[in-house]
Amino acid sequence: MEELETTIAQDLLKINAVTLRPNDPFTWASGIISPIYTDNRLTISYPAVRTAIADGLAALIKAKFPDVEVIGGVATAGIPHASLVAERLGLPLIYVRSKPKDHGQGRQIEGALQPGAKVVLIDDLLSTGGSVLKAAEAATKDGANVIGVAAIFSYQLPAAETNFAAAGIPFATLTNYTALIHTAEAQGTITASERELLATWREDPTAWGK
C-alpha cells in the first residue's frame, strides 16, 4: 500500500489537484488557515489518473471491506469514483445526496437499497469526516448497514479519527497528507524545512499560522 500511496500522491501533485503553499497559505471557508488546497474533482478529467484511483479504491475495498454488497457515492465528488468502482467490483451502486430532494418523493438516497445491505461509501476527500458521516447517517436511516468509508485522500486531522471512532465506522484512503508532503519533498516541490512546517499544520490546524 505504501507504493500506491506514493503513486496516487504523485498523480495528485502532477495534475495540480493538490497545491502546497506553506509560505502563502489559503483560508478555508471555515476560517482555518491552511498551507494546502485540494480539488480532487480534477481527477475525473485525467483518464490515467482516474483509472489508477478506481483500481486502487476497488483493491482497497476488497482488502479492507471484503463483505461489501453495495457501493455508495457521496454527492457530488464521490459519485464518479463510486460508479467506476462499482463497475469494477460488479456491485450495485447508490448515491447519497447532501440533503433530501425538496420535490417528488423527497429521496436522499438514489438507487435500489435493500434493507441491511452492507454499504461502503466513497468520497474524494476526508477532512474532519463530517460530510461523509452525515451521508452514512442518511444511508443508515434508509436501511443500509454502512460498514466502511473509502476515499482518495485524507488530511489525517485528529478530528477525523475522533469523529469516525464516535460513529463506529472504519475508513481507509489511497493516500494521505504525510505521504503527500514526503512525495512533494522528494520531487523538489518543497524543501525539508517547508515539509516540517507543513507537518505542524496537521497537528493543530486551528492554531496554525496565527
Side-chain angles (χ1 to χ4, degrees):
M1 288 303 296
E2 186 174 337
E3 182 179 348
L4 181 61
E5 285 182 353
T6 300
T7 298
I8 299 299
Q10 289 171 340
D11 284 343
L12 297 181
L13 288 165
K14 179 173 63 178
I15 66 171
N16 295 317
V18 174
T19 304
L20 296 170
R21 290 197 334 212
N23 298 308
D24 183 21
F26 303 92
T27 301
W28 288 359
S30 62
I32 289 177
I33 305 299
S34 171
I36 181 171
Y37 181 77
T38 306
D39 182 7
N40 283 341
R41 290 172 175 81
L42 287 173
T43 60
I44 63 175
S45 296
Y46 295 84
V49 175
R50 73 172 182 240
T51 295
I53 287 170
D55 289 344
L57 285 171
L60 184 69
I61 289 169
K62 284 195 292 185
K64 299 290 186 179
F65 311 111
D67 295 334
V68 61
E69 297 172 330
V70 176
I71 298 297
V74 178
T76 57
I79 295 174
H81 302 292
S83 300
L84 293 169
V85 170
E87 182 67 21
R88 280 162 170 74
L89 297 180
L91 291 174
L93 172 71
I94 63 169
Y95 70 86
V96 187
R97 297 176 180 273
S98 58
K99 59 183 180 180
K101 290 169 65 176
D102 58 5
H103 60 279
Q105 294 180 319
R107 288 178 178 166
Q108 189 167 0
I109 312 297
E110 298 290 357
L113 179 62
Q114 301 302 317
K118 295 175 182 176
V119 176
V120 171
L121 294 177
I122 292 179
D123 209 349
D124 70 326
L125 171 69
L126 300 181
S127 52
T128 64
S131 59
V132 72
L133 288 174
K134 286 181 181 177
E137 183 179 356
T140 300
K141 287 181 179 178
D142 221 41
N145 175 13
V146 179
I147 63 171
V149 166
I152 300 170
F153 178 77
S154 169
Y155 287 120
Q156 295 179 295
L157 301 182
E161 295 283 350
T162 300
N163 292 337
F164 276 97
I169 298 175
F171 70 93
T173 63
L174 291 181
T175 193
N176 54 53
Y177 189 73
T178 299
L180 187 90
I181 61 177
H182 279 284
T183 300
E185 183 187 8
Q187 291 179 344
T189 305
I190 58 172
T191 64
S193 60
E194 286 175 328
R195 176 178 59 79
E196 292 300 321
L197 183 61
L198 285 159
T200 63
W201 173 80
R202 185 175 71 83
E203 296 168 6
D204 189 1
T206 59
W208 194 87
K210 295 182 180 179

